[in-house]
Amino acid sequence: MSIANNRKAFHDYYIEEQIQAGLVLEGWEVKAIRAGRVQLKESYIYWKKDAFYLVGCHITALPTASTHVRPDPVRPRKLLLNQREINKLIGKTERAGYTIVPLNMHFHRGKIKAEIGLAKGKKLHDKRESSKESDWKREKQRLMKQAR
């Protein structure tokens, strides 16, 4: 079940590979995510000291958050990946010019997971071509519906 999607990532990048990663979250963040108060729009992933971090993901604290906890809505959150996946992602981003973007956040067996994508940036003409293609698909579906 999907919690939040990053539709802008599919517009700005060619997604070549998708990997599911766990997140290190605090209690108030889990409650806020379950309530749907998360936004992935301007978030990205970077490598620092033997781990990948999700940065820019905005999780708005619930008004009933604990009084002794100071919620930071945009703090960097560590991603949980196995060593083979980490090595593959580092190799692709350093050599081949790829970037890593979060695609969506979802539940998997009761746990909150993030779907991350190995992506290559689109040029402006590629974005225009993609939007023309999606417009044509939409128009074609409308015409097929009218023909029935």
Side-chain angles (χ1 to χ4, degrees), residues 1 3 30 34 106-113:
M1 185 176 134
I3 302 167
V30 174
R34 287 189 183 280
H106 60 274
F107 293 113
H108 184 263
R109 297 183 183 169
K111 307 248 187 314
I112 297 171
K113 303 285 184 173

Side-chain angles (χ1 to χ4, degrees), residues 109-124:
R109 297 183 183 169
K111 307 248 187 314
I112 297 171
K113 303 285 184 173
E115 188 85 26
I116 62 174
L118 196 59
K120 210 168 193 62
K122 284 185 182 178
K123 303 280 192 268
L124 183 60

